[in-house]
Amino acid sequence: GRGGRRGGEPTEEELRALEAEADATYNCVLCGTGERDELILLCDSCDRGHHTFCLEPPLSDIPEGDWYCPDCAPTVAPPARWACPCGFGFNTADSLACAACD
């Protein structure tokens, strides 16, 4: 035989498969490539990759803090603005009431 495997170490074929899987994990789900990986955002919910420039609209910078992809954002992140119950304005993320109610 080949002398057996030592200590459960993966074979070269298994290592190549693991590397390919890891590379594909961080590819952009929109264009399918891993090019310009410094501009790939990973969703904090589903962990899928998205290039900043593939998003619609594209992002000019990597955002600070948590980031959610277009599929996850509606179910995870609160909206930045929503209609105020008074019917005359919009709430903002840092206020429970619109300017008309404040």
Side-chain angles (χ1 to χ4, degrees), residues 1-5 10-13:
R2 296 178 18 177
R5 291 170 47 189
T11 64
E12 281 189 46
E13 185 176 318

Side-chain angles (χ1 to χ4, degrees), residues 46-98:
C46 68
D47 208 34
R48 293 183 303 158
H50 296 72
H51 281 116
T52 56
F53 51 85
C54 288
L55 294 166
E56 193 57 50
L59 295 178
S60 56
D61 296 307
I62 301 286
E64 300 262 338
D66 291 345
W67 178 81
Y68 300 103
C69 73
D71 291 333
C72 294
T75 62
V76 179
R81 291 168 39 111
W82 60 94
C84 184
C86 76
F88 293 106
F90 290 91
N91 298 334
T92 61
D94 59 348
S95 172
L96 295 177
C98 71

Side-chain angles (χ1 to χ4, degrees), residues 9-70:
E9 293 177 12
T11 64
E12 281 189 46
E13 185 176 318
E14 290 170 331
L15 281 174
R16 279 195 298 273
L18 288 170
E19 286 173 6
E21 184 180 328
D23 287 346
T25 300
Y26 298 111
N27 283 355
C28 174
V29 297
L30 301 173
C31 72
T33 73
E35 295 174 11
R36 304 203 51 199
D37 63 342
E38 73 278 7
L39 295 177
I40 293 179
L41 296 167
L42 297 179
C43 176
D44 285 303
S45 180
C46 68
D47 208 34
R48 293 183 303 158
H50 296 72
H51 281 116
T52 56
F53 51 85
C54 288
L55 294 166
E56 193 57 50
L59 295 178
S60 56
D61 296 307
I62 301 286
E64 300 262 338
D66 291 345
W67 178 81
Y68 300 103
C69 73

